[in-house]
Amino acid sequence: MRRFSALSLGSFGIAAILAMPTLFIIYLALSSSSEVWGHLYQTVLGDYLGNSIGLMVGVTIGTLLLGVPSAWLCACCDFPFRKTISWLIILPMAMPAYIVAYVYSGLLNDSGPIQRWIRQQFELSYGDYWFVDIHSLGGAVCVLSLVLYPYVYLLARSAFLQQRHQLNAVARTLGSPFSRNIFKVALPLARPAIAAGVLLALMETMSDYGTVQYFGIATFTTGIFRTYYGFGDESATAQLAMVLLVVVLVLYGLEKQSRKGMAFHALEDSKQQSTPLLISGWRQPLAQICCLVPPLLGFFIPVLTLILWGVESDEWQQASFVELAINSTVLASLAAILTVCIALILCYAVRLQPSWWVKLTVQIASIGYALPGTIVAIGVISLLTAVDHSLVEGLSQLLGVDSGLWVSGTLVALLFAFAVRFMTVAVGSISSGMATIKPHIDDSARLLGRTPWQVIRQIHIPLLRPSVLTAALIVFVDVIKELPATLILRPFNFNTLSVRAYEMASDERLYDAGPSAIVMVLAGIIPVLVLNRSIGGGRS
C-alpha cells in the first residue's frame, strides 16, 4: 500500500513539474506590470487579435471544405481507387505548415516559375498584371488549411464509417431524397466529430509560427517572439502569452466538450459493416478529383518541388547537414524516450488507483499539447532562468564561486519543453493500449509476489510494445518538426533540420532549404499512416 501511494504521489509530482512552465507564465503575467505592455496594447495588440481571428475563421472554412466532402465520399461511397485515395488524403499531415509556405512562396512569388512563364508567354513586365499575393493573410489561410484539413477528414471519416447504411435506408423510406439525407442524417450525426476536428485544426493554427512569420503576418505567436527578443521584457511577453493561452484553453475546452457528444447508437446487427453507395458514370471522376485535389496541393506538389530544389542544392554534400541530421535524431530520440517513460508512470498510476484526483493529475500533465510551442518555450526558459539565477546566487553566497548557468540554454531545457508539449500523445497511446490488458492479470501477478514496478516491467511493457512504439514514433516525428520551441531553447551552436530549413528560407535560400525539409517530410509519413490505420480500424 505504501508503494501504491508513492506511485500516485509520484505521478502528482510529475504533473506539477510539467505544469510549472504554464503556471510561471501566469504568475509573471499577473504579478508584474510593464510599460511595454501598454505600448503593445495601444499599437499592435489589435492587429494580433484581428489577424489571429481572421486565421481561425479562414482555417475553419478551409478545413471544412477540404475535409468533410472527401471524408463522406471515402466513407460512404464506392468508386474506383477509393481505398488508395482514402489514405493519400491524409499525407499532408506529414508536411510542416512552414515548409508548405516556403514551397508556394517559391512557386508563386514574382521570381517564381509561374510568374516567369506568364511574363514570357504574354510578353508582360512585372506590374503589368495582377497575381495572387501568397504573402498575405489569405495565403496563410490556404497553406494552413491544406496542412490541417486531415484533422477534420480523419475524425469525420471515422464518424461516417460508424453510421449504418440502414439510417439512410430509413430516411429514404420516409420519403427523403438522397441529397437531403446527407444534410438531415449523415452530417448531424457526424457533427461532434467534425467540430472536434475543426477545433484541433484551430489549436494548431494558433500554435503556428513559421508560416505566419515567413508571410509577415502579425499574430500572437509572432508578437511573443518580437516582444521577447526585441524588448527583452519577460513581463510583457508573459502577458501576451497569457492572452494566447486563454484563447487556446477555450478551444481546448470546446474540443473536450465536443467529444463528449461523439456517441453513436448502433443498430442490433452490430457486426454488419456500412454498405457504401456505388457511384457510377460521370460522378466517378468528379468524386476522385474532389478527393485528390487536397493531397495534390498539400503534399505532392510541395514534395515534388522540394525534390527538385534538393537536386539543385549542394546542401546534401555539406558536413553540417550530417551534423544537423544527427542532432535532430538524437534530440528526438531522447525526447521520445523521456516522454514515453513518464507517460508509462502516469498511466500505470491511474490503473492502480483510478480515483478522480489521479485522473486529474494525468489531465494536468497532458494539457501541454493544447499549448503553442511558443508559450511552452517562454514558460520553460523563464522558469529555468529563474532557477539558475537562484542556484548561482545561493552557491555564490555559500561557496563564493560563480557556477554559471546549469540548465537554461542546455538540452535539458529542450527536453523538458518537449515532454511538456507532447505528453498528451504518449499518454493517449499508452492508456489506450493499457485499457486492453485485463485487470486480473495484475491481480494474479501481485498474488505471486510481484511488486508494481515488476508488474509494469515484466508484464505491461511487453504487452504494450505496439502502443509504446507508436507513442515514441509520433513524439519522435513531432520533435523533428517542432520549430518555435527549438528556436527559443536550443543551445548555442546547436542546430536541427527544422531550424536549418527556417534559416535558409528566411535568407531566401529556398533551394538550400529543400534537403532539410525533405528529411522531415519523409520522417513524418510513417506515423501518419499508423494514425490512419488506427482510426480507420480496417473498415472500408
Side-chain angles (χ1 to χ4, degrees):
M1 188 65 179
R2 187 176 300 172
R3 292 177 180 174
F4 178 88
S5 300
L7 183 62
S8 301
L9 292 174
S11 67
F12 181 80
I14 290 173
I17 293 173
L18 294 177
M20 279 184 180
T22 305
L23 296 177
F24 197 74
I25 283 182
I26 296 174
Y27 167 76
L28 284 177
L30 298 180
S31 65
S32 57
S33 59
S34 171
E35 295 181 358
V36 174
W37 169 253
H39 171 72
L40 295 175
Y41 181 82
Q42 295 175 1
T43 55
V44 295
L45 188 61
D47 292 336
Y48 295 162
L49 184 61
N51 289 333
S52 297
I53 292 175
L55 273 179
M56 293 170 64
V57 172
V59 169
T60 297
I61 297 172
T63 52
L64 286 174
L65 292 177
L66 294 175
V68 175
S70 55
W72 184 81
L73 287 170
C74 289
C76 302
C77 301
D78 190 14
F79 52 89
F81 309 109
R82 174 176 63 91
K83 291 184 179 180
T84 301
I85 292 174
S86 66
W87 67 265
L88 290 177
I89 294 176
I90 67 167
L91 288 179
M93 283 190 79
M95 299 291 300
Y98 56 91
I99 298 298
V100 179
Y102 302 159
V103 168
Y104 279 107
S105 176
L107 292 176
L108 300 178
N109 62 27
D110 58 314
S111 59
I114 295 178
Q115 290 206 54
R116 287 205 310 267
W117 180 85
I118 291 175
R119 291 195 292 267
Q120 292 173 0
Q121 292 297 317
F122 298 98
E123 298 182 353
L124 297 172
S125 300
Y126 178 73
D128 293 340
Y129 59 94
W130 177 88
F131 196 79
V132 62
D133 181 15
I134 189 66
H135 290 259
S136 63
L137 183 64
V141 166
C142 291
V143 167
L144 291 169
S145 298
L146 286 173
V147 173
L148 299 177
Y149 80 84
Y151 286 104
V152 177
Y153 166 80
L154 284 171
L155 294 179
R157 175 170 168 257
S158 180
F160 288 139
L161 284 171
Q162 294 182 56
Q163 298 176 14
R164 301 296 176 182
H165 72 286
Q166 290 95 335
L167 292 174
N168 286 326
V170 169
R172 288 197 297 271
T173 301
L174 295 177
S176 177
F178 177 75
S179 59
R180 291 184 60 189
N181 293 345
I182 301 175
F183 297 97
K184 298 293 185 179
V185 179
L187 286 178
L189 284 174
R191 183 172 56 83
I194 294 172
V198 170
L199 289 168
L200 285 172
L202 291 181
M203 287 163 61
E204 291 293 329
T205 299
M206 297 303 292
S207 301
D208 179 77
Y209 171 75
T211 304
V212 292
Q213 189 277 336
Y214 186 68
F215 283 174
I217 300 169
T219 63
F220 279 107
T221 51
T222 59
I224 290 170
F225 261 84
R226 292 170 184 169
T227 305
Y228 185 76
Y229 285 108
F231 293 100
D233 191 319
E234 283 192 351
S235 298
T237 304
Q239 288 162 346
L240 265 183
M242 182 72 175
V243 177
L244 180 57
L245 178 63
V246 170
V247 174
V248 173
L249 289 181
V250 169
L251 291 175
Y252 179 74
L254 291 174
E255 190 271 334
K256 297 284 285 186
Q257 184 66 31
S258 69
R259 283 196 282 121
K260 290 183 179 179
M262 291 176 65
F264 300 86
H265 301 283
L267 300 180
E268 293 181 1
D269 186 7
S270 60
K271 295 182 179 179
Q272 185 172 5
Q273 294 295 325
S274 303
T275 301
L277 173 70
L278 181 63
I279 295 180
S280 59
W282 59 270
R283 294 181 180 86
Q284 286 185 353
L286 186 62
Q288 292 171 333
I289 292 173
C290 179
C291 293
L292 284 174
V293 166
L296 177 67
L297 297 176
F299 182 80
F300 290 104
I301 289 179
V303 166
L304 179 60
T305 304
L306 289 174
I307 292 173
L308 294 176
W309 288 355
V311 170
E312 297 188 23
S313 172
D314 61 352
E315 187 78 3
W316 301 100
Q317 304 171 7
Q318 302 293 327
S320 60
F321 182 78
V322 177
E323 182 181 351
L324 293 175
I326 293 174
N327 287 346
S328 296
T329 302
V330 171
L331 181 63
S333 299
L334 292 175
I337 293 171
L338 174 65
T339 306
V340 167
C341 289
I342 295 175
L344 279 169
I345 295 173
L346 294 175
C347 292
Y348 193 55
V350 173
R351 184 178 179 87
L352 285 180
Q353 186 179 355
S355 58
W356 67 268
W357 71 271
V358 178
K359 292 180 180 179
L360 179 62
T361 293
V362 176
Q363 290 183 353
I364 292 173
S366 303
I367 201 172
Y369 197 69
L371 306 178
T374 309
I375 288 182
V376 173
I378 295 296
V380 167
I381 193 64
S382 300
L383 174 65
L384 295 185
T385 300
V387 171
D388 270 343
H389 287 164
S390 298
L391 289 174
V392 169
E393 291 178 4
L395 290 175
S396 177
Q397 293 176 0
L398 291 175
L399 304 177
V401 296
D402 184 4
S403 60
L405 301 182
W406 287 49
V407 287
S408 58
T410 68
L411 287 181
V412 173
L414 262 179
L415 293 174
F416 181 29
F418 292 145
V420 173
R421 181 84 167 87
F422 301 118
M423 187 57 61
T424 303
V425 175
V427 167
S429 178
I430 293 173
S431 61
S432 298
M434 196 168 284
T436 64
I437 302 175
K438 301 296 183 181
H440 66 77
I441 295 178
D442 297 56
D443 298 335
S444 300
R446 296 300 299 275
L447 287 174
L448 293 173
R450 297 295 187 270
T451 65
W453 295 111
Q454 289 174 327
V455 172
I456 192 172
R457 187 178 70 254
Q458 298 175 5
I459 298 176
H460 283 230
I461 291 179
L463 293 176
L464 289 171
R465 186 172 299 168
S467 299
V468 169
L469 290 177
T470 299
L473 184 62
I474 295 177
V475 173
F476 179 90
V477 175
D478 281 342
V479 170
I480 284 182
K481 297 190 297 184
E482 172 65 32
L483 178 62
T486 310
L487 276 174
I488 294 175
L489 297 172
R490 64 193 173 104
F492 292 113
N493 299 322
F494 184 89
N495 249 2
T496 63
L497 292 170
S498 61
V499 173
R500 181 67 171 179
Y502 169 79
E503 290 174 343
M504 293 296 100
S506 298
D507 293 339
E508 297 300 328
R509 295 170 57 184
L510 293 176
Y511 282 48
D512 290 333
S516 299
I518 291 172
V519 175
M520 286 190 290
V521 172
L522 291 177
I525 291 176
I526 298 175
V528 164
L529 298 181
V530 171
L531 182 63
N532 178 57
R533 184 177 181 84
S534 65
I535 292 181
R539 293 168 294 184
S540 61

